[in-house]
Structure formats: structure tokens, C-alpha cells
Amino acid sequence: MSAHPPSVIMSSYFRSTGVKMFLILTLALLPLGILALVASLQAIRTADLEREALLRVAVTQSARKLTADLASDRTAIALTVNAIAARTADSAMCGRLAFFLQSHTRGEGTFYIYDRTGQRLCGSPQAEPAGIAPERRFDSADAALLPQAGFLVSREISSDGKIVALAYYSRAHLERVTDPATALQNRQLSLRQGSRTLFITQRPDDREQSRYRNTSLSARVVQPDMVLTMTTQDPPATAARLLSLFLPLVMWFAAAAIGWFVVNRLLIRPLVGLRRSVAAYQPGEVLEPLRRMRTPAQEIVALGQTFRAISEEVATHEAEMAEALETQRKLTREVHHRVKNNLQIIASLINLHARSAVTFEAGEAYASIQRRVDALSVVHRNHYAELEENHGVGVRSLISELSASLRSSAPAEARRFAIQIDSDNLHISQDVAVPVAFLLTELIELAMLSDPLATMQISIHGDSGSMGRARLEILSPALRASPDMSVRLEERYGRILTGLSRQLRSPLDHDGATGLYAIVIATLA
């Protein structure tokens, strides 16, 4: 498939049927889209002006209702405190005032009358809200906001300044009085006096409030320093509102959708199906990309047939490679089988020669050689057993089988030589397994010759601080430092152990006081 320059690709793209149809329909609908856009913007602007005018009427009406309500109450309270100050009030006057306020506020308003000494003369039976300190009751005759307590308090002082009346109005009463006759949704009412603000209706969440655009208008109430503020949230962008605003875009999208639908049925959908089939392709399968799809584009059909021919050829090669791999596996099994037989023959020949040995030293030499051949045979058997899964040689089974083999071929005086094994479930490669087996063989034989009645502990555990490494430890009292041990190490075993540690590419540590040999080996994941 030849590569085309970008200029050729873009030219062919703009010559396609889908793009031509999209451009023609877009240009044809452009005048209608402009007219619809202007009409939508004008309608939205008119609705915003009407909503602002309605809000202005509502806040003015609410402020007037609240001012008139408080003014009538202040008149009644002023008559009562002046009558009490002039000592012309009868005993039922406070009761009539309480009845008037209770009926007027629906039980939400309370009042309390005090003299200059702080003595409560009369008032509502409810406890006075914690709002104004006793020493501040005669400060002024103005209304004040108590945001913390949630009340508006109106103070009325008698004409001689000796009696004061405090009237408390709760949020519920203020909300009922300031409720506008016009229906305004999502409104919030608040009274502000200087730096103090009393929210009459429930204060909205700041996060919720930040999501909408708010419109606020204020009007004076009670006195010049107190204003009533009404805040409304603009209606959310509904589907109908957005549709009316973005009608041109909807029309352009409809035009593009029509053109795209035609191109999708002819070209894009078959190409997407072909791409998915090729992406999900696995070697060995035969592609059938357009089996469930019909397209009039003959070029795409030809491309699918080409992919099918390529997949058939790849499947043929995969089958041939699988057959060749199976043949190679059989040959490898045959080689391992022959090597195992050859090791068994060598072990048998050594055993026959050992039986015909005329001296004890010759028999021990043959036994020593046979133990090393057995060690190699054990490694080979374990490697052959793990070959199918390719996990490497199992360390636990290798050490167990090697220990059993060495004990069976040990000298007569060392037949009771005990070997304890503590191993993690680890695996090693054959290149590591052979020197490890020979290292264990040399150390076990050295221990048997030094002290046939001793015991040995063999442990191997993974190194937690390093992945792919394990520590092999051989501990036995027979391996402690002694003159006899030094002679054996100098004559033969020392050079062999050093060579094996070099082959394992790790130093062999020896603690002569405890009889411990330790070395770090590489493991498989």
C-alpha cells in the first residue's frame, strides 16, 4: 500500500461526498440560523427585563408591608408605654397589647416592658430572647437586627424616657409579612443594617449559589439605615431555553448529521468494522471482516478480501511453526532421555568397578566419584521434570533427592548421618543447579568424613531485600574448624569449594566456630 502526501489526503477529503453535502446544507441554512439567533437573543433580553421589573415591584411591596406592620405595632406599643409612664393605664392594658400582638403575628411576636431600674413591668409570658443587654435597652428608639438570635427587635421609649418596650419579631413572622403577592421562585429575603445581616428566608449554599447568576434589589424599611434585599436566581438553562438560543447550531448540526449519516453508511461504518476485526486479529485465525456487513463500496470489499488472504497465509505459517515446535520438543525429550540413560550407565560402571576394588581407599574414591555423578543425575532429572512448564529446577525437591541419594551411598559408619532441610518454594536455572548440587555434595561428604555421627541443617530462603536472590546455608558441627578439617580443606575440598563459589559468582562465607557455610545464589521469578 503506497503512502500519499498530506496535500493529496486533504484534497481527497474535501472532495468527498459527505463534506460537500455538509457545506451545501450549512450555507443554505445560514440565513435562517442568523434570524433565529437574533430572535432568541431578543426574547431572552425581554424576559430578563420583565423579571427584573417584577422583582422591583415585589421588593417594594414587601418593604411597604413590613414597614406598615411594624408601624402599627409601634403605635400600639407607644400608647401602652406612655399610659404606663403617666400612670393612666389600667390592669388589662398589657393583656390587650399582648392579645393584639399575638393575633397580629400569629404567636410569633413577643414584647417586654421595663423601667429604668430594669424591672419588668409586663410582657409576653415567653422568655425574652438573648439579644439586647439590660444596660442597652434605653439606647435609642430604633429597630435593630439580631442575626445570631434570629430576631428583629423594635424599641419604643416613653415620652418621659422612663419606660421602654422591646418587641421581638421572629424570622417566620418576617417571612410571612414580606412574602410578595407575585410568585417569584428561588427568592431569598434578607434585612441589612450596617454590617449586620438577618436572612429572613433560608440562606442558600455558597456552592449552590455560585452555580447560578443572582439578581438583587433593595428597598428601605422602618428607618433609613435598614434595607430589605430580595435576591432571585436566574432560571437554569433548560433544554427548551438552550434549544431556542442555539437554534442555528441545531440546524447546522442537523445538516451535518444528514450528510454524515450518508457517508457513515457508505464508508465510515464498514471501515470501522474492518479496523476492529484487524485489531482483534490473533495469529492463526482467518479474518472475515465483512461477513455481517454489506457495503456498496467495492474498494472496501476488496480490502477485506485482501486481509482475509493474508490471514489465511499467516494461519498456514502458524500451523507449520507449531508442528516444527512440537518436533523440536520431542527431540529435546529424546536427548534428555538419552543423557539420563548415559548417566545411569556411568553410575552402573562406577558401581561395578567399586565392587572389584582391592583396597579400601580405591573403593572410597569410586564412591566419591559416584556421589558426584548421582548429584549431576539428580539435577538432570529435576530439570527434565520442570522442562515442560519452564519453571526451572525446584530447589526443595533437588535438595531432598540429593540428600537421600548421598545418604544411601554414604560410608557404612555414616549411614545414620541426619540431614534436615528447610527450603522455600524456589526455582533455579540448570546453570545454578549443577554447582549448587556439587557444593552440597562436597560439604555433605566432608561432614560425613569429619564426623559420621553428626547432623546437618540445610536451609535456603529468598532474600527479602533483593528480588531473584536466595541465601543457602549449610550448618553442621562436623564443619567446625579443626586441624583435621584444615588438612582436608587444603588437600582437596577447599579448592573445589572455591571453584564452585566462583561458578555461582558469589563468595562462600564460612563460620568456623559454628560450622556454617553460606552463599547467595540466583533464583528464577
Side-chain angles (χ1 to χ4, degrees):
M1 185 179 295
S2 60
H4 300 285
S7 59
V8 176
I9 296 176
M10 294 299 295
S11 177
S12 61
Y13 175 76
F14 282 106
R15 287 199 303 266
S16 64
T17 304
V19 175
K20 290 180 180 179
M21 186 176 298
F22 173 77
L23 293 176
I24 292 172
L25 291 177
T26 302
L27 293 175
L29 295 176
L30 182 59
L32 295 178
I34 295 175
L35 292 176
L37 179 61
V38 173
S40 298
L41 294 176
Q42 186 64 31
I44 292 174
R45 177 61 179 169
T46 302
D48 292 340
L49 293 176
E50 291 178 356
R51 186 169 60 255
E52 183 176 353
L54 184 63
L55 177 62
R56 189 179 303 277
V57 172
V59 70
T60 303
Q61 180 186 14
S62 298
R64 289 177 179 175
K65 288 174 59 178
L66 180 60
T67 302
D69 183 80
L70 294 178
S72 63
D73 291 349
R74 290 173 67 91
T75 301
I77 295 173
L79 292 175
T80 302
V81 296
N82 287 324
I84 294 176
R87 301 181 182 275
T88 59
D90 56 7
S91 59
M93 193 169 188
C94 282
R96 290 194 298 272
L97 179 60
F99 177 79
F100 169 76
L101 290 178
Q102 289 293 325
S103 61
H104 177 62
T105 62
R106 300 182 184 179
E108 298 290 343
T110 57
F111 78 99
Y112 308 92
I113 299 177
Y114 299 93
D115 58 9
R116 282 285 182 178
T117 63
Q119 182 181 1
R120 178 174 170 178
L121 302 179
C122 65
S124 300
Q126 297 90 342
E128 181 180 359
I132 298 178
E135 63 272 10
R136 304 295 300 274
R137 291 170 180 164
F138 286 85
D139 284 357
S140 65
D142 299 332
L145 297 179
L146 303 177
Q148 300 296 332
F151 287 93
L152 183 148
V153 59
S154 177
R155 286 184 289 196
E156 187 67 29
I157 302 176
S158 62
S159 57
D160 59 359
K162 295 181 180 181
I163 305 298
V164 64
L166 302 177
Y168 291 88
Y169 300 94
S170 64
R171 281 195 179 95
H173 173 68
L174 294 176
E175 182 178 3
R176 186 168 54 252
V177 173
T178 57
D179 186 19
T182 57
L184 288 176
Q185 297 180 353
N186 299 326
R187 67 177 181 273
Q188 176 194 349
L189 290 169
S190 62
L191 287 171
R192 187 174 71 253
Q193 185 181 34
S195 60
R196 292 174 293 181
T197 301
L198 174 64
F199 288 95
I200 299 176
T201 57
Q202 185 178 4
R203 183 176 183 179
D205 189 7
D206 293 338
R207 293 178 298 179
E208 187 70 20
Q209 189 175 10
S210 62
R211 295 172 54 187
Y212 301 97
R213 186 172 64 89
N214 298 329
T215 302
S216 300
L217 290 177
S218 301
R220 299 288 179 181
V221 293
V222 184
Q223 54 201 40
D225 65 337
M226 186 178 298
V227 295
L228 174 67
T229 301
M230 182 177 295
T231 302
T232 60
Q233 294 179 351
D234 291 346
T238 60
R241 182 184 178 91
L242 293 177
L243 184 61
S244 63
L245 179 61
F246 298 104
L247 184 60
L249 297 180
V250 174
M251 294 165 54
W252 291 335
F253 176 76
I258 295 172
W260 183 254
F261 177 76
V262 176
V263 176
N264 181 62
R265 297 295 297 180
L266 293 177
L267 298 174
I268 297 178
R269 187 176 177 185
L271 286 176
V272 171
L274 181 60
R275 184 193 64 81
R276 290 177 179 174
S277 299
V278 175
Y281 169 72
Q282 298 293 334
E285 298 178 355
V286 177
L287 280 176
E288 294 286 349
L290 301 176
R291 182 176 56 183
R292 298 181 181 178
M293 191 176 299
R294 297 293 181 266
T295 174
Q298 295 301 319
E299 294 79 5
I300 298 179
V301 175
L303 182 60
Q305 293 176 354
T306 302
F307 276 116
R308 186 179 186 280
I310 294 174
S311 64
E312 289 178 350
E313 186 175 355
V314 173
T316 302
H317 287 298
E318 287 288 332
E320 293 176 355
M321 291 179 63
E323 184 178 357
L325 182 61
E326 182 63 25
T327 303
Q328 182 66 30
R329 186 179 291 110
K330 291 180 181 179
L331 291 176
T332 304
R333 291 174 181 170
E334 182 65 23
V335 170
H336 278 280
H337 182 68
R338 291 181 181 274
V339 172
K340 183 177 66 174
N341 292 340
N342 292 337
L343 290 175
Q344 290 178 353
I345 292 173
I346 293 173
S348 300
L349 291 175
I350 294 174
N351 190 18
L352 292 174
H353 284 284
R355 292 178 182 177
S356 61
V358 295
T359 62
F360 177 76
E361 290 77 6
E364 288 298 321
Y366 279 120
S368 178
I369 295 173
Q370 186 174 6
R371 282 192 285 271
R372 284 146 184 83
V373 174
D374 290 341
L376 184 60
S377 179
V378 168
V379 173
H380 183 76
R381 281 197 302 271
N382 282 272
H383 177 69
Y384 177 73
E386 299 288 343
L387 183 63
E388 296 296 330
E389 298 181 0
N390 197 22
H391 287 171
V393 179
V395 176
R396 184 182 300 171
S397 59
L398 173 65
I399 298 176
S400 301
E401 189 173 351
L402 184 61
S403 301
S405 176
L406 291 174
R407 288 187 60 189
S408 64
S409 62
E413 61 273 13
R415 293 297 174 86
R416 295 185 178 180
F417 189 86
I419 300 176
Q420 299 177 357
I421 301 173
D422 182 16
S423 172
D424 291 341
N425 187 18
L426 303 173
H427 292 79
I428 56 179
S429 63
Q430 189 179 17
D431 294 336
V432 177
V434 172
V436 167
F438 284 143
L439 179 66
L440 293 175
T441 302
E442 297 294 334
L443 291 176
I444 293 175
E445 183 180 271
L446 178 60
M448 288 180 177
L449 295 177
S450 300
D451 189 358
L453 300 179
T455 60
M456 177 175 285
Q457 296 179 359
I458 301 175
S459 62
I460 178 169
H461 299 284
D463 189 357
S464 59
S466 176
M467 296 296 294
R469 308 289 289 177
R471 182 176 176 85
L472 173 63
E473 296 182 352
I474 302 97
L475 176 64
S476 176
L479 298 177
R480 293 175 181 173
S482 64
D484 189 23
M485 176 65 67
S486 300
V487 172
R488 288 190 173 91
L489 291 174
E490 291 178 1
E491 288 180 352
R492 185 181 69 178
Y493 291 98
R495 294 190 301 274
I496 297 175
L497 294 176
T498 302
L500 292 174
S501 65
R502 290 177 180 175
Q503 189 172 356
L504 290 172
R505 299 179 181 179
S506 181
L508 180 63
D509 300 328
H510 177 219
D511 187 0
T514 59
L516 173 66
Y517 278 89
I519 189 171
V520 178
I521 63 174
T523 61
L524 299 177

